[in-house]
Structure formats: C-alpha cells, structure tokens
C-alpha cells in the first residue's frame, strides 16, 4: 500500500481538507513541532488503495537573507549588497522546526500532493516543501510520478473532491518569479535603508522613526500620498459666482434651477447676467425630455475592490480586511480572497451558491425572487486566469462570525447577489427653461425597476423632489434670482481606497502585497491615518519624497517598479529568464544607489530645514567616559545618547524608559551607567552605553546590558548578580534586580520571565556560596523585625531561592509586561553565563548543567 503525504498552507486548512476527503473518518495527532497536526486515513489514490497523511506548514517554510557578516550594518558597505553579498535560504521561523517536521512526516512516503494556496506565493512554498521532503521520500520506479499539485479555490466538498480528481504539477516559473521579487526587494531595500538610516540618524535627533526605510514598492506608495499633499499645499482658492433661480410651479412649491453656464469667475460679468435675468418675471419651458437610463450591476468581486470597499465603507484598514478575509476562507465561508479576476467561468454553479444563502432572513426574499424569476448572467469582466471572483461558499450568521468578520462577509454576499440581479432602471426627466437670454435646467429621476439596488441600497438612486407636469411653451412665475459667491476648494488627502486604486492602476504591488505596503508606510511613521481613513504624510515622509525627487525622481515614481513587475510576470509565464531579469534590475538600481550616495547632500538640505541636529536635541542625562561631559538623551525613536563634544552616538534598548543609575560608573570605560525599565510590572537592568555598543568581552554581543556582562568583579555584572538558570528558556540566567526593592525580583536576561520574592525585605544580596542540590547561588535576605515573614521572628536568612523550604512561600513566578516583545531590538541568541550554572572561586563559570532540578523547579513555579 502506497503512503501519500499531503501538505496544506495552514493547519486549519489541512484539517478541513482531510475531513472532506476522508468523509470525517480520520485519526489526528500533533506533529513534533506542536504547531501542525497530522490527519491520517486510508482511501484510494489513482486507482490504488493508499494510506494518506495530511499535514500543513505555517506559511513560508524558508526566507531569504544575507549570510553571516552581511547582516551587520557596521561591517559592510551597503553598496556590496547589490552583487557581492551572498544570500541563503533560512528557516522562516526556526522555533517551528518546520524542515525537521516535514522530513519526519515525509520519510518513507511514496507520493506527495501539494495543497498550498493557488497563487504565486503558494507555488513558491510548494518548492520549499519539496526541497525538504524529496530527499527522504521513497524513490519512484522508472517514469512513475510522485509529485502532484491540487488546484482549488474554496474549501467546499465539491471543489476539494474535484481538485483531488484532477491533480496537476507545481509551476516552477511562478515560484521563480517570487524568488526574484524576494531577492530584488531584499538587496535594493536593505542597501538604501541601511545607508539613509545611518546617515540621517547620525545627524538628526527628532526624526521619530527607528528605521528610515526604502522599498521598491513602499516608496512609490508614499509618493502618491505626498503628491496629493503637495497639490493641497500649492492650491490657491479662486472666487467664482453662480446664478441661482427658483420658479414656483404651484403656490406652495418651488423648484431650484441649475444655470447652464455653471459658474463665472468675473464678478462684474456675473452681476450683468443677474441684471438681465431680473428683468423677466416668468421662466419659459423650452424643452422637456424623458429618457430611460440604466445603472449597471457591479462586476464580480476581486481583491482590490474588496479592499477599497472595506476601507471606504466599512472603516477597515487593508491589512486588517485581508486578515479577516483569509480567516473566512480557511473556515470555508468564502472562496479564495486573493484574485484579480472579475469574471465567472461558464461552468460556475451560481444557482448553487445562491441557494446556500436562501435561509438568511437578511436576503432570503431577494434570493427566492431571483431563483423563481431566473437569475441574470453576471457582467463579463476581466479573466486573469487565477481564481474565480470572491464568492460566499456557505451560509453564516452574525453570531457565528461576529464583529468585523460578519460585516465583511455580509458585504461579499450582498455583492455576489447583486452581480446576478437585474440592472437598476430609472426614468430621467430634463426640463430646460429660459429666463431672458439665459438658459437653466432641472433634472428629476424616478426609479422604474430597482434591480440590484434592493440588495445594495447604498447604490440606490437618491429620492428627489418630483418635477411638475409641463410642456414646451409653458410659463412659470419666478420666485427669486440671486448671485451666490463661492470658492474653489483643494482636493482632500488620499483615502486608503483611492491609494489602492492608484497602486492598481500603476502596477505597484500585487493584490496580496498592496495591504502590506500601505501598512508599512503607516508603521514607519511616514503617514498617519486621519478620520475617514485618509492618509496624511508626516514631515519625515514629505522630506524623503521631496529628497528622492531632487536626486532621482525614478526612485519614487511608479514607472520603474511597474516595469519590474511586468518583467516578474514574464518570468511567471516562462517568457523571461530569471537570472537575466535579476541581473539587469540589480544593475540599474546599483547605479542609482551610487548616484544617490554621491548626491545625498541634496536631501540633507531639506532635512536641515525640517529637523534638529543631534547636538540641539534631547536633554543632558549621563556623563561620557571619554570627555566626562554630559551626553544628551534623545527620546525620539530610536532613543539614543549623543555626546556633542566627542560627536559620538550610542544606541540604547528601545520601548522602555531610561534614567541615570545612581551616578555609578563602568569600571572598564568610566561611562556613567543608565537604567532601562519596561515599567513597574516589567524588567529593568543597568547598562553601560559604551559596552552596550562595543562589547568588551569575546563572549558578549552588541546590545547586552550589565545583566549579561561577564566581568568577573563588577558589582552590576552577571557574575555578581546571577542566581540560577531560567526555568523556561534554554540560555537565560535569572539575575537579581538590585533596584527593585522593596518589591524585590529577579529576571531572566534572555526571556520575559520574572520571579518576585521577599517583598518588603530590607536588603537582598547574592552570596558567593552555591546550593548543594541545584548549584544556584544562595541569597542573603534581611527583613525589618516588624515585617519579617521568617519563622521565629528571625530577621535574617541565607538559602537557595529554589530549594530552601523557608523561602518556598515567598517566591512567585510571573511574565514581564513588555511594551513590545522585541524590547531589545532583534538580538540573536546569546550564550548565557553566570551563577545559575554553578560557580568556582574567582568567578569562573562551571559549564556543567545543574542536576535535573530545573524540571522540578518549573513544575514548582507553575
């Protein structure tokens, strides 16, 4: 019996697909990484009985990055990133150990069926999965096929079974186009970002952004927002005049007429027209025309239109809307939400989808009427050859989906019903009047057949005052004629919906990446989202775009990225060579980068006008160890210390508060120590600004505080304050926070574990002695006599935090309340050292792990 491995893109999808294919008759177990499950059942595969193993990945298995030293901003010239710097594929999430998991499940399998999402990213993940499992699978005999690709657009029984019966092959060209995009974005983005971040953060203190990033798609996206801002700023309002007339068809009613000239910009000319028309007492009907007009039903829904409506009508950001749509898809409520197509294939079961919705009270009446009278074929839209338009696949209630999930699902369903409804028909009546030599018009609309506007009432024809019945040659008395003075108004800032339209029009990003680019410019503090989801550029965003225009407009204009996108699409179609496109594009941007570096003074002139230099920013905080003058603490992101005398800048831990630490100095470099804290419920530790940026010992890395410093005698170091191995993470050491009294605590120097102990103790010190059982350092505790919890009214005790029964009720484990999970700014794993691993005389570290006490300790704390 053959063994068939099947892999989906998400664990929830794997479960749904396995349940459909096994008809619910399957067994499930957790995979070795804990994140993915494996669903097993027996069935038939290409006419033979087979054992199926259905599992999943969690998005991309691998990610592209530079190797080793090229990830260091300080050691590598950004220009080298265009060609010299080698790249490698690394595990996207090492904690998930996805490669090992796939190899364990794939070992001994005969065939693999790939159920990844059916788009370019999905094809790319197909080959990531194949790279992991093919080496451990059984080799096929002769010309026997072992790799299959399932193509599907929704998680319904029909679609999944149909995909299983018509298996194809993964598309190498589409996967290569994604590889090309990843490498271009990595090399171009990193080179420009590193250069301009280091250049400007080394000069200005109030940029208020931790990263001055550049992206081949992100920057043109920002360019659209700044272009609109510039139009608003340069707009000069003009005064104009409008002639407004009112006639009285009946005694009680009046009708407002629109002037055929619309407006004039000369006051005297406007006054002349007013004087001429005021000579007439009656308005004469010159013509009455009636026309039947049609408001077309919408095209079928694609991703871009869904994101536009979500932002403009539902108040959801594109990123948030996409996440909700993906969740609705994985739960089987809608079809695949990433599609450029607005045309239903001829064999699509429109009636079947409609019948699914017939029980919902919101639209049951409309659907039953459509099914009995016959549905209209949807309008012919654009067929991009990817997935059918976004369609509701099964009925749902507000209670099931809740909140934003229901609001998006309701819109998708209403849009689908509208596409198979009739067009809206209305009668438009236009009456033309003459008052003296001037012509005026009024228009009225009467709906004859509401059609699709019944299900989409926001598209309905607005109710207007009814026009009087009249014929050519009739006269109506004039109620009033007046001159209105008005002003032209500037355009408003771009809404997200308008920005999405511009991005689609100019080919910036794909339906999947558009939300990511908009989210990026918000997170980088280049734009802010104002009321009505309008995007207003910040000072930094404006200066950057103006600087790009000044140096090289193509860096910000959509033209060059649009051309690159076309080349990437040609790779996907097999019409362009992957290596040639990559080489050609990188060569263009490398030349642009060198020109940008040489011309950076042009952008710098704009920066000088808008931002303050480092020396004029911040407030004095701690003394420099070189010149012994005060360094200034710059709070704006990224927070740092700057010595204007030495012209040196020292980075600090982010997302916390910094204050002077008792004016104590580092014994190595004489810099005054500062204390970083994430709040009263979080961690805090002292650090030396110089050591934090220039590690003094070989086993230390950049970004380590005193709680990781291996100095053998410094009173603030890990060697003096380390107590024991962390109870949760592998490399961490629990270090006494000597500033935390009277609410004493020790915190892990790697993860966010905090142990509260000895509340209200007068003094807590780490002893040079170690515990015989677990080799952790002993702790000396002094209590005031009035508040001592120690037995027999004792005020002093020395013992092990983990093993001493006297301390047992005085210790409590918690997790730090962090302002941001990456509070230290993305440092890699560091080898922890200190007393937690036992200590020999002279501060030497014993590499021997403690006895198997830690498992017991973890259980004890939990």
């Amino acid at each position: 019996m053959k063994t068939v491995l099947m892999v989906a893109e998400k664990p929830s999808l794997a479960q749904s697909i396995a349940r459909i294919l096994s008809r619910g008759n399957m067994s499930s177990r957790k995979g070795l990484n804990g994140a993915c499950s494996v669903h097993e059942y027996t069935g038939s595969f290409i006419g033979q009985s087979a054992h199926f193993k259905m599992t999943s990945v969690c998005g991309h298995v691998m990610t592209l990055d530079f190797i080793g030293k090229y990830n260091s901003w300080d050691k590598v010239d950004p220009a080298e990133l265009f060609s010299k710097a080698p790249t490698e594929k690394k595990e996207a999430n090492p904690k998930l150990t996805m490669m090992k998991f796939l190899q364990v499940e794939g070992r001994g399998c005969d065939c693999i069926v790939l159920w990844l999402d059916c788009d370019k990213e999905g094809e790319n993940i197909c080959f990531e999965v194949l790279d992991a499992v093919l080496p451990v699978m059984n080799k096929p005999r002769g010309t026997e096929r072992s790799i299959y690709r399932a193509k599907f657009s929704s998680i319904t029984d029909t679609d999944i079974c149909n995909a299983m019966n018509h298996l194809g092959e993964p598309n190498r060209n589409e996967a290569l186009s994604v590889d090309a995009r990843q490498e271009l974005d990595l090399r171009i983005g990193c080179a420009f970002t590193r250069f301009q971040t280091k250049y400007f953060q080394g000069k200005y203190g109030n940029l208020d952004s931790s990263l001055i990033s550049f992206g081949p798609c992100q920057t043109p996206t920002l360019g659209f927002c700044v272009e609109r801002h510039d139009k608003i700023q340069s707009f000069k309002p003009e005064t104009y005049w409008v002639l407004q007339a009112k006639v009285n068809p009946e005694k009680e009613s009046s009708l407002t007429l629109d002037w055929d000239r619309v407006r004039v910009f000369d006051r005297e000319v406007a006054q002349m027209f007013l004087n001429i028309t005021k000579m007439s007492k009656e308005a004469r009907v010159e013509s009455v025309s009636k026309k039947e007009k049609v408001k077309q039903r919408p095209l079928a829904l694609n991703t871009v239109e869904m994101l536009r409506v979500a932002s403009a009508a539902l108040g959801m950001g594109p990123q948030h809307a996409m996440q909700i749509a993906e969740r609705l898809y994985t739960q089987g409520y809608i079809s695949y939400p990433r599609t450029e197509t607005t045309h239903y294939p001829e064999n699509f079961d429109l009636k079947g989808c409609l019948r699914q919705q017939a029980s919902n009270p919101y639209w049951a009446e409309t659907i039953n009427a459509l099914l009995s009278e016959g549905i209209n074929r949807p309008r012919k839209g654009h067929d991009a050859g990817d997935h059918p338009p976004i369609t509701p696949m099964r009925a749902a209630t507000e209670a099931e989906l809740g909140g934003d999930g229901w609001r998006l699902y309701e819109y998708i369903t209403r849009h689908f019903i509208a596409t198979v409804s009739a067009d809206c028909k209305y009668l438009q009546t236009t009456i033309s009047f003459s008052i003296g030599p001037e012509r005026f018009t009024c228009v009225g609309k009467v709906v004859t057949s509401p059609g699709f506007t019944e299900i989409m009432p926001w598209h309905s024809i607005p109710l207007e005052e009814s026009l009087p019945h009249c014929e050519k040659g009739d006269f109506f008395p004039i109620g009033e004629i007046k001159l209105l003075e008005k002003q032209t108004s500037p355009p408003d800032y771009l809404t997200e919906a308008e920005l999405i339209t511009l991005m689609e029009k100019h080919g910036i990003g794909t339906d999947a990446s558009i939300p990511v680019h908009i989210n990026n410019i918000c997170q980088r503090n280049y734009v802010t989202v104002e009321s009505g989801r309008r995007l207003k550029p910040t000072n930094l965003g404006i200066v950057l775009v103006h600087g790009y225009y000044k140096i090289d407009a193509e860096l910000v204009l959509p033209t060059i990225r649009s051309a690159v996108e076309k080349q990437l699409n040609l790779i996907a179609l097999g019409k362009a060579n992957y290596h040639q496109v990559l080489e050609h594009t990188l060569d263009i941007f490398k030349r642009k980068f060198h020109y940008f570096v040489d011309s950076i003074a042009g952008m710098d002139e704009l920066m000088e006008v808008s931002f303050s230099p480092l020396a004029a920013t911040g407030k004095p905080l701690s003394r420099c160890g070189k010149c012994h003058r005060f360094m200034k603490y710059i709070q704006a992101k990224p927070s740092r210390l700057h010595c204007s005398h030495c012209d040196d800048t020292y980075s600090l831990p982010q997302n916390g508060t910094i204050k002077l630490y008792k004016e104590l100095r580092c014994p190595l470099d004489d810099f005054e120590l500062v204390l970083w804290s994430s709040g009263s419920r979080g961690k805090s530790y002292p650090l030396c600004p110089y050591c934090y940026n220039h590690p003094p010992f070989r086993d230390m890395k950049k970004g380590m505080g005193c709680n990781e410093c291996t100095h053998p005698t410094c009173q603030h170091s890990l060697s003096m304050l380390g107590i024991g191995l962390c109870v949760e993470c592998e490399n961490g050491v629990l270090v006494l926070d000597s500033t935390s009294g009277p609410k004493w605590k020790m915190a892990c120097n790697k993860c966010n574990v905090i142990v509260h102990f000895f509340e209200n103790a007068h003094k807590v010190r780490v002893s040079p002695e170690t515990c015989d059982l677990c080799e952790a350092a002993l702790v000396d505790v002094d209590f005031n006599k009035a508040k001592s919890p120690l037995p027999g009214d004792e005020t002093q005790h020395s013992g092990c935090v983990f093993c001493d029964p006297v301390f047992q009720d005085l210790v409590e484990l918690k997790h730090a309340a962090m302002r941001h999970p990456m509070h230290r700014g993305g440092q890699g794993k560091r080898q922890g050292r200190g007393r937690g691993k036992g200590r020999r005389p002279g501060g030497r570290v014993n590499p021997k792990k403690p006895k198997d006490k830690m498992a017991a300790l973890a259980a004890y704390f939990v």
Side-chain angles (χ1 to χ4, degrees):
M1 186 188 288
K2 281 189 174 183
T3 305
V4 181
L5 178 67
M6 305 205 291
V7 184
E9 197 159 314
K10 295 180 185 74
S12 54
L13 275 177
Q15 187 179 5
S16 303
I17 294 167
R19 191 182 291 123
I20 291 168
L21 293 174
S22 68
R23 296 183 175 83
N25 188 20
M26 63 183 187
S27 62
S28 300
R29 59 181 169 83
K30 274 280 179 199
L32 69 85
N33 63 2
C36 304
S37 295
V38 183
H39 312 283
E40 299 185 67
Y41 64 95
T42 305
S44 169
F45 183 69
I46 315 179
Q48 299 176 24
S49 61
H51 177 69
F52 289 93
K53 290 163 74 172
M54 179 85 204
T55 186
S56 73
V57 289
C58 296
H60 273 284
V61 180
M62 310 300 283
T63 186
L64 191 72
D65 203 356
F66 296 113
I67 65 161
K69 72 165 190 174
Y70 290 95
N71 280 317
S72 168
W73 285 38
D74 301 320
K75 294 175 184 173
V76 176
D77 178 1
E80 290 184 32
L81 301 181
F82 284 99
S83 51
K84 282 187 186 175
T87 57
E88 64 177 342
K89 291 261 188 179
K90 297 177 181 175
E91 281 207 53
N93 189 341
K95 287 182 182 175
L96 289 178
T97 59
M98 195 60 74
M99 288 289 282
K100 187 179 176 185
F101 165 69
L102 288 170
Q103 285 169 353
V104 167
E105 297 304 334
R107 193 173 301 281
C109 289
D110 300 291
C111 300
I112 181 167
V113 181
L114 300 155
W115 289 86
L116 285 308
D117 288 352
C118 298
D119 57 10
K120 288 172 189 167
E121 295 290 335
E123 296 301 324
N124 191 260
I125 301 171
C126 280
F127 287 94
E128 292 175 357
V129 171
L130 290 176
D131 288 343
V133 300
L134 284 182
V136 296
M137 282 174 58
N138 294 338
K139 297 287 178 279
R141 296 176 199 155
T143 56
E144 209 175 54
R145 262 180 78 189
S146 61
I147 301 167
Y148 298 89
R149 175 76 164 108
K151 297 274 185 180
F152 58 102
S153 296
S154 61
I155 314 303
T156 59
D157 294 20
T158 313
D159 215 16
I160 296 300
C161 293
N162 193 42
M164 191 66 183
N165 293 330
H166 299 86
L167 295 172
E169 292 183 5
N171 188 323
R172 169 67 74 178
N173 290 327
E174 288 192 357
L176 281 174
S177 76
V178 174
D179 283 339
R181 179 183 278 110
Q182 285 177 352
E183 188 162 344
L184 288 174
D185 289 352
L186 176 73
R187 291 185 182 277
I188 297 166
C190 284
F192 278 91
T193 298
R194 287 185 192 183
F195 171 71
Q196 60 189 26
T197 300
K198 286 181 74 177
Y199 186 87
F200 291 121
Q201 282 183 355
K203 291 192 74 171
Y204 302 102
N206 56 342
L207 296 174
D208 203 26
S209 181
S210 51
L211 201 69
I212 318 258
S213 65
F214 173 93
C217 287
Q218 173 195 303
T219 305
T221 303
L222 174 63
F224 291 129
C225 300
V226 175
E227 186 185 358
R228 177 61 65 89
H229 168 83
D230 291 342
K231 282 181 182 173
I232 294 167
Q233 295 303 307
S234 61
F235 185 84
K236 290 189 174 72
E238 283 188 85
T239 306
Y240 65 90
W241 288 266
V242 175
L243 206 56
Q244 190 186 75
K246 286 186 180 178
V247 295
N248 300 326
E250 295 168 11
K251 284 185 180 177
E252 299 299 317
S253 67
S254 73
L255 199 63
T256 303
L257 310 183
D258 298 319
W259 192 21
D260 283 11
R261 291 184 194 272
V262 184
R263 60 187 180 181
V264 291
F265 287 88
D266 189 311
R267 171 71 199 246
E268 289 180 9
V269 172
Q271 188 64 46
M272 178 195 74
F273 284 126
L274 178 66
N275 295 339
I276 292 170
T277 50
K278 275 200 167 181
M279 293 164 69
S280 303
K281 300 293 180 200
E282 288 183 315
R284 182 176 187 273
V285 176
E286 294 295 333
S287 66
V288 180
S289 67
K290 294 190 177 186
K291 272 187 185 174
E292 192 170 80
K293 294 210 165 188
V294 172
K295 185 172 186 177
Q296 281 192 311
R297 60 192 181 277
L299 284 166
L301 187 63
N302 67 1
T303 307
V304 170
E305 181 61 20
M306 179 188 74
L307 295 177
R308 267 199 289 255
V309 173
S311 176
L314 305 179
M316 294 181 205
Q319 183 94 334
H320 178 55
M322 204 68 224
Q323 286 167 352
I324 291 169
E326 284 176 357
R327 195 183 77 225
L328 291 173
Y329 161 67
T330 55
Q331 292 171 342
Y333 290 108
I334 63 171
S335 63
Y336 192 61
R338 288 184 172 149
T339 176
E340 296 173 20
T341 297
T342 56
H343 177 73
Y344 281 108
E346 295 300 318
N347 60 351
F348 194 89
D349 186 9
L350 295 165
K351 283 188 177 177
C353 291
L354 267 183
R355 287 193 194 98
Q356 294 265 23
Q357 302 293 335
S359 58
N360 193 307
Y362 285 103
W363 40 72
E365 198 177 320
T366 308
I367 284 174
N368 290 327
L370 275 170
L371 289 170
S372 60
E373 293 165 15
I375 64 169
N376 288 276
R377 188 79 205 148
R379 286 168 58 197
K380 189 169 175 62
H382 167 65
D383 185 0
D386 49 0
H387 287 269
I390 303 166
T391 311
M393 299 314 293
R394 66 183 170 104
T397 62
E398 191 168 356
E400 269 178 77
L401 303 179
D404 288 346
W406 166 253
R407 289 166 63 225
L408 188 62
Y409 174 82
E410 183 189 8
Y411 169 71
I412 290 168
T413 307
R414 286 183 182 275
H415 191 109
F416 168 67
I417 297 167
T419 60
V420 293
S421 300
D423 292 337
C424 171
K425 293 176 183 172
Y426 60 94
L427 189 68
Q428 181 172 296
T429 306
T430 308
I431 306 175
S432 181
F433 292 89
S434 62
I435 302 176
E438 288 305 293
R439 289 290 186 105
F440 294 82
T441 308
C442 68
V443 178
K445 294 170 187 170
V446 178
V447 175
T448 53
S449 170
F452 78 93
T453 60
E454 282 186 327
I455 195 74
M456 296 176 95
W458 56 92
H459 280 304
S460 57
I461 305 296
L463 292 168
E464 296 176 355
E465 53 188 321
S466 56
L467 297 183
H469 180 72
C470 58
E471 292 175 1
K472 184 180 177 181
D474 287 355
F475 287 90
F476 291 112
I478 296 169
E480 66 168 339
I481 296 181
K482 61 182 178 184
L483 206 57
L484 301 178
E485 185 178 306
K486 295 184 177 184
Q487 274 197 327
T488 55
S489 56
D492 213 333
Y493 284 104
L494 281 179
T495 61
E496 282 173 335
E498 290 166 337
L499 179 57
I500 291 166
T501 305
L502 283 169
M503 291 174 75
E504 184 195 29
K505 178 183 171 185
H506 292 282
I508 300 299
T510 61
D511 52 1
S513 65
I514 282 173
V516 178
H517 302 314
I518 295 175
N519 189 53
N520 280 346
I521 62 171
C522 296
Q523 292 206 322
R524 297 281 184 265
N525 196 31
Y526 294 161
V527 298
T528 55
V529 182
E530 305 290 308
S531 62
R533 300 209 69 83
R534 293 190 177 276
L535 301 169
K536 184 178 180 182
T538 61
N539 221 2
L540 178 59
I542 294 163
V543 171
L544 276 176
V545 169
H546 288 174
Y548 293 134
Y549 271 120
K550 195 172 180 181
I551 297 170
D552 180 359
E554 282 191 336
L555 291 175
V556 75
L557 288 171
T559 45
I560 194 162
R561 182 60 194 193
S562 181
V564 172
E565 287 288 348
K566 284 175 185 167
Q567 291 294 315
L568 294 174
N569 285 333
L570 288 175
I571 293 174
L573 295 169
K575 294 178 180 178
N577 181 281
Y578 162 79
H579 296 288
Q580 287 175 351
V581 169
L582 208 59
E583 197 177 316
H584 177 66
T585 309
L586 286 173
D587 183 54
I588 291 171
F589 273 98
K590 186 178 182 179
R591 291 162 191 262
K592 287 185 174 296
F593 177 77
H594 284 299
Y595 183 71
F596 180 74
V597 171
D598 294 341
S599 314
I600 194 67
M603 187 184 276
D604 200 23
E605 287 168 9
L606 300 175
M607 286 279 187
E608 277 177 352
V609 176
S610 302
F611 300 104
S612 309
L614 279 173
T617 316
K619 56 183 182 182
L621 179 73
S622 68
R623 289 185 186 272
C624 170
K626 296 176 183 177
C627 65
H628 299 289
R629 288 178 169 85
F630 275 104
M631 296 189 292
K632 284 189 171 180
Y633 171 47
I634 297 156
Q635 276 186 286
K637 281 185 181 179
S639 57
R640 53 214 191 273
L641 285 167
H642 178 70
C643 176
S644 53
H645 184 263
C646 304
D647 197 21
D648 284 332
T649 305
Y650 301 97
S651 59
L652 295 169
Q654 302 299 306
N655 304 302
T657 57
I658 293 280
K659 59 185 180 184
L660 192 62
Y661 185 52
K662 304 178 186 174
E663 296 186 5
L664 296 169
R665 292 176 184 266
C666 175
L668 293 170
D669 47 49
D670 215 28
F671 273 71
E672 279 188 339
L673 302 182
V674 293
L675 183 74
W676 177 86
S677 171
S678 66
S680 57
R681 293 187 299 126
K683 289 166 65 167
S684 59
Y685 56 85
L687 62 107
C688 161
Y690 190 83
C691 295
Y692 187 82
N693 290 271
H694 306 94
F697 302 113
R698 204 176 276 174
D699 54 359
M700 287 179 67
K701 290 185 181 176
K702 190 175 177 180
M704 288 188 170
C706 295
N707 64 345
E708 294 180 85
C709 175
T710 51
H711 193 293
T713 57
C714 175
Q715 59 179 342
H716 317 293
S717 72
L718 172 65
S719 305
M720 288 293 160
L721 297 177
I723 293 176
L725 279 178
C726 178
V727 295
E728 288 200 7
C729 70
E730 286 179 24
N731 299 321
V733 176
L734 293 166
V735 182
L736 174 67
D737 183 349
S738 53
T739 65
S740 58
K743 295 188 175 182
W744 297 93
K745 61 190 175 190
M746 58 179 176
C748 176
N749 60 7
K750 294 285 189 286
C751 69
N752 64 345
V753 164
I754 286 185
V755 178
H756 291 269
F757 53 13
F758 316 131
E759 191 167 345
N760 297 320
H762 172 60
K763 199 176 283 183
V764 177
R765 291 180 303 276
V766 181
S767 163
E769 305 297 321
T770 56
C771 174
D772 294 334
L773 289 172
C774 69
E775 299 187 18
L778 301 184
V779 179
D780 302 329
V781 188
D782 288 6
F783 281 98
N784 290 326
K785 197 161 191 179
K787 293 184 177 178
S788 176
L790 298 174
D793 290 334
E794 285 187 28
T795 58
Q796 293 184 336
H797 187 78
S798 182
C800 175
V801 171
F802 305 112
C803 309
D804 195 320
V806 174
F807 286 159
Q808 193 164 344
D809 295 330
L810 306 178
V811 180
E812 177 190 6
L813 175 120
K814 286 188 177 177
H815 288 84
M818 298 310 239
R819 296 190 181 183
H820 191 282
M822 297 296 287
H823 69 283
R824 222 194 333 251
Q827 299 297 326
K829 284 192 176 180
R830 293 183 279 271
Q831 293 303 310
R833 304 188 65 182
R835 298 172 187 268
K837 298 187 177 180
R839 200 176 147 235
R840 292 176 181 168
R844 298 277 299 172
V845 176
N846 177 7
K848 184 179 70 174
K849 284 241 178 191
K851 295 158 190 167
D852 192 27
K853 185 75 180 170
M854 285 301 142
L857 294 178
Y860 161 73
F861 278 113
V862 172

